[in-house]
Amino acid sequence: LVPGTEWGALKPTTKFGQMPVLRLANGKELAQSQPMVRYLARTSTTPLGKSLYPIDDAYAAFQIDEYMVAVEDARNKLMPTFAIADQAEKE
């Protein structure tokens, strides 16, 4: 978590000048949320030892990626509506 007061100094040190950023224990820095989610899913396992992201099933991986992008597309269409100030326009 980066407080807003510290973001100005941190921003130029990040890969793309934006958040989120994930720093790994080995010092590597990951950027961009969707690739970070995939990385975490590939490197994490369920209690039964199964990967959270399909490693050996390209079609199953595609389906996950397809839904992730569809949700992002929907979010991008929805977000501008939060900036509408006119109540009549909102309705």
Side-chain angles (χ1 to χ4, degrees), residues 13-43:
T13 69
T14 64
K15 194 172 195 174
F16 298 110
Q18 63 188 27
M19 295 293 266
V21 173
L22 176 63
R23 289 200 180 101
L24 304 178
N26 64 8
K28 291 183 180 180
E29 190 173 276
L30 308 181
Q32 300 298 336
S33 55
Q34 288 188 23
M36 287 191 305
V37 167
R38 285 187 203 98
Y39 172 84
L40 292 170
R42 284 183 179 118
T43 59

Side-chain angles (χ1 to χ4, degrees), residues 24-66:
L24 304 178
N26 64 8
K28 291 183 180 180
E29 190 173 276
L30 308 181
Q32 300 298 336
S33 55
Q34 288 188 23
M36 287 191 305
V37 167
R38 285 187 203 98
Y39 172 84
L40 292 170
R42 284 183 179 118
T43 59
S44 301
T45 58
T46 69
L48 299 175
K50 187 172 182 177
S51 174
L52 295 174
Y53 190 87
I55 295 170
D56 299 327
D57 186 340
Y59 184 71
F62 164 80
Q63 288 180 303
I64 291 169
D65 293 344
E66 182 180 45

